[in-house]
């Protein structure tokens, strides 16, 4: 613990210096001081965890998942409105929220929630304020999935865990007082990626959920040179391009040995980019972003590209690569994007493709906030966004 405190002090000092040297949140940001405080604290934790890994004291993931054993303080308990329990759905741990009050004999809607964290971090405990609010506000049964994570369990393990849980929940809906025809599969960031992949797989299998809720989802590993990736590369933004690239390749391969090459966009050939440009392209972005895209991709590592292109082509890993007819078969979708987010552009590409085919998508974009804001319950824009999402779910479920 003493070592951890020293490392945290060093990390805070480093980030504090960065705060003085780098541009703070834009003046037009919503509650910029609050967003800066979140970035400052979490970036300090990340720096501490990188230091621990560097000196061989711990791995980054083990440290960041539970810094200073804080997880022990995040015990989830029942309250006057919901009964909370830990369950195993087909062998996967789930935190289940069941409303105490319901109409006698009536069934409730069900919500699968898949947490974010780059497929490597996060836990249902950290999302308790959000998932509890969904259960309370909607009088819905919420299943928050504690899927196994990379790098110990790379793709497809997290996806398969979420798929198993969702199938189990839908197949056993009556046991939980849920109407199986009124189930939403939702998630944020990496969880949005998993939710879309699960929804697509279930739809192909003839067991489609009612709808998908995709909150700033991670959707593609083809190009890390889109405007959002070029803009949000450093502090004060919590999710930076380098961190997101590391998350992606740890999920895909179980390590980030090729981080620098992928970060430099040397992982995909021009021919492959050409073959999927109707699905992943700056031409799908609003005009104000198109002109910011750098199109040159030089010095491709052919050996790396061969490995990357094979796995990137799997739409359960990169859902944005689905063909239009596959996208059109998906359940109706709520899609949220936000401004200060490396993942912004891939969300906007998905919105454009869905709207162009007259797919029933509700796309909501929130300016002035950064990636991860949906979990910051109590902040102004977060409350507005969650209330909007709840309004949609109430109407559609």
């Amino acid at each position: 613990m003493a070592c951890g405190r020293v490392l945290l002090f060093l990390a805070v000092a480093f980030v504090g210096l960065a705060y003085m040297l780098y541009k703070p949140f834009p003046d037009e940001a919503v509650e910029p001081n609050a967003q800066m405080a979140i970035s400052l604290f979490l970036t300090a934790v990340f720096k501490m965890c990188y230091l621990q890994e560097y000196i061989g004291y711990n791995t980054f993931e083990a440290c960041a998942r539970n810094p200073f054993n804080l997880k022990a303080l995040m015990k989830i308990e029942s309250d006057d409105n919901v009964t909370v329990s830990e369950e195993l759905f087909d062998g996967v741990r789930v935190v289940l929220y069941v409303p105490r009050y319901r109409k006698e004999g009536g069934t409730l809607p069900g919500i699968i929630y898949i947490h974010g964290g780059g497929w490597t971090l996060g836990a249902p405990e950290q999302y308790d304020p959000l998932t509890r609010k969904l259960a309370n506000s909607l009088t819905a049964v919420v299943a928050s999935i504690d899927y196994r994570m990379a790098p110990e369990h790379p793709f497809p393990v997290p996806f398969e865990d979420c798929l198993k849980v969702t199938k189990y929940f839908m197949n056993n809906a009556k046991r939980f007082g849920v109407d199986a025809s009124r189930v939403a599969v939702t998630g944020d960031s990496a969880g949005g990626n998993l939710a879309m992949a699960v929804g697509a797989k279930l739809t192909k299998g003839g067991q489609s959920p009612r709808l998908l809720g995709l909150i700033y989802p991670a959707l593609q590993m083809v190009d890390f040179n889109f405007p959002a990736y070029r803009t949000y590369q450093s502090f004060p933004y919590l999710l930076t391009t380098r961190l997101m690239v590391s998350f992606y390749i740890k999920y895909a391969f179980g390590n980030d040995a090729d981080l620098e090459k992928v970060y430099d966009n040397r992982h995909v050939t021009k021919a492959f980019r050409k073959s999927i440009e109707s699905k992943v392209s700056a031409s799908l972005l609003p005009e104000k972003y198109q002109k910011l895209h750098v199109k040159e991709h030089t010095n491709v590592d052919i050996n790396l590209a061969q490995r990357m292109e094979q796995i990137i082509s799997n739409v359960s890993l990169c859902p944005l690569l689905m063909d239009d007819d596959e996208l059109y078969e998906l359940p109706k979708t709520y899609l949220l994007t936000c401004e200060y987010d490396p993942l912004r552009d891939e969300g906007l590409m998905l919105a454009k493709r869905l709207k162009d085919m007259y797919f029933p998508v509700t796309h909501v974009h929130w300016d002035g906030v950064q990636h991860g804001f949906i979990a910051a319950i109590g902040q102004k824009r977060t409350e507005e966004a969650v209330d909007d999402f709840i309004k949609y779910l109430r109407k559609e479920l």
Side-chain angles (χ1 to χ4, degrees), residues 77-150:
E77 298 181 342
S78 301
D79 60 28
D80 292 342
N81 298 312
V82 294
T83 300
V84 184
S85 61
E86 293 187 21
E87 309 281 344
L88 287 178
F89 285 10
D90 200 7
V92 180
R93 177 178 175 265
V94 168
V95 176
L96 191 69
Y97 299 79
V98 180
R100 293 184 183 275
Y101 308 104
R102 66 177 75 185
K103 293 181 181 179
E104 184 154 351
T107 55
L108 301 178
I111 299 172
I112 294 287
Y113 196 86
I114 308 174
H115 70 77
W119 306 277
T120 68
L121 308 176
E125 287 79 2
Q126 295 166 357
Y127 280 78
D128 175 65
L130 174 60
T131 46
R132 189 180 295 266
K133 183 167 183 173
L134 293 175
N136 282 330
S137 299
L138 295 164
T139 315
V141 177
V142 177
S144 184
I145 306 177
D146 191 15
Y147 56 90
R148 289 173 292 173
M149 294 186 289

Side-chain angles (χ1 to χ4, degrees), residues 51-68:
L51 281 170
Q52 288 194 11
E53 184 169 76
Y54 180 74
I55 66 174
Y57 180 74
N58 206 349
T59 66
F60 169 79
E61 288 79 20
C63 169
R65 288 169 190 166
N66 190 23
F68 311 120

